[in-house]
Amino acid sequence: MTDHSISIDTHPEPASRMLGKWMSAAMVVGTMVGSGIYLLPTTLAPYGYNLVIAFLLTGFGTMCLAFCLARLAAQIPGGPFAYVTEAFGETAAFLTLWSYVVSQITGVAGVAVAIAGALSHVVPQVGSGPGLIAVALGSIVILSLVNLRGARSAGVLQVIATLIKIVPLLAVVLFVLVRLGTGQPLEPLEPTPINVSAITIAGALMLFSLTGFEAAAVTANVTRDSTSTVPTATIVGTGFTAVIYLLSTVATLMLLPSALAAKSGAPFADAIAPILGPLAGAVVAVIAAISAFGTANALLLFAAEISRTIAGARDLPPVFRKTNRVGAPVGAILIVAAISALLVLASSSKNFVALYVFITLVSTVAALVLYIVCAAAALKLKVVGRWAIIAVIGVFYSIAMFIGAGLEATLWGFGLALIGLPIRAISRWLNGSSRSAEASPTAPRG
């Protein structure tokens, strides 16, 4: 039962400015394919065929969570705030989505810094100091301008960035197929015996690389025909990403000796070096920067759209639901960008670096709250029908992700969620005398 009756605007922007099917799918794939995939061959090289089993297990767990979100999206318009409100009430919805918004804001800052880090392999001057700050802040400004033009503009950018960022992933798979077709030898995977311990460790290493599958659901309110588009984009996008992750990681390890891959700082670049020669490192670095740019674009859109939805429930100040002429949440976009920019500036301080890294970890954990709550919502609302076992698996898989993050970060993540309660109370006060008074046109004016 909900705390109050709420109405979520499921069409805040004109249909012509909303996301289509391909854009929604690109949101999923583009968000999941982050910088982490480019180092997976290095971290997983010592585990041999254990990594394949671990990939299948983590991929299955992720697909279970994606299935829960897809079923919720198919039956309840309005995105995650609507799902959680319907199942557990407004307070639970606020705490869940507040945590998610904070995680996305810190994510924008972190990924903006990663853009500069990737480009530093080509232009060393942007790897630290003023150069790094300039690239990171410039990226945030550009992405803010894109998002201010509406969700569709962000969607176009996401499609382009996604197509570019999967190039090295597909390239290594293609190179392996060419070698197989021409009879050239491939490198064997590390001959590590298959055992539970190795599978568990490999699974833990790849656990967070498959996050981001919620992207289509989070942008449901700015997606055309969301009850059909979002479920399809969620399942297809998640499945495609999981498969390409497995194939590209194994392919890279078939092109590089495992001992070399385990020490490589850029395994994909090393794998395609025989084809591209000395340009390989620069090409992959630029693609990694574009990948990070696309991810930051999505995170900014997520933070702004969820903030708008929460503000629509009067749980954030009214400035967050202020829109421009194309329906974009201008207030939310500018505030998210400003906070992200401040975090980038603060991260340049040596005294702040350790704290910033910790905040990023805690906010990552906070985002996991959305997964377990939505899986539980799918169970309670019975949207999965006879496939309730999938939602149960999703809940336990979410718990495994919390365990993988560690107890301290998990506790701080829940603490971060609770910090939102006084902000909610202040926001409701700023919004006037609550929705009940707003619904009474005859109420006396102060």
Side-chain angles (χ1 to χ4, degrees), residues 259-321:
L260 177 61
K263 297 178 181 178
S264 175
F268 282 91
D270 290 340
I272 64 176
I275 305 296
L276 298 180
L279 286 177
V283 170
V284 172
V286 171
I287 289 176
I290 294 172
S291 173
F293 192 74
T295 299
N297 171 59
L299 299 185
L300 178 59
L301 176 64
F302 301 163
E305 288 301 333
I306 292 296
S307 295
R308 172 182 11 207
T309 300
I310 296 175
R314 307 302 192 268
D315 289 340
L316 281 178
V319 65
F320 282 91
R321 60 178 187 269

Side-chain angles (χ1 to χ4, degrees), residues 83 124 183 187 199 241 244 248 284 292 355 417 426 435:
Y83 315 155
E187 298 293 338
I199 293 171
T241 305
I244 198 64
S248 61
V284 172
L355 177 60
I426 294 171
R435 268 158 292 187

Side-chain angles (χ1 to χ4, degrees), residues 91 94-95 98 314-317 414-430:
T91 300
F94 170 78
L95 291 174
W98 156 261
R314 307 302 192 268
D315 289 340
L316 281 178
F414 283 110
L416 180 64
L418 295 176
I419 289 174
L421 289 176
I423 294 177
R424 184 193 193 207
I426 294 171
S427 298
R428 290 198 164 191
W429 175 74
L430 289 174

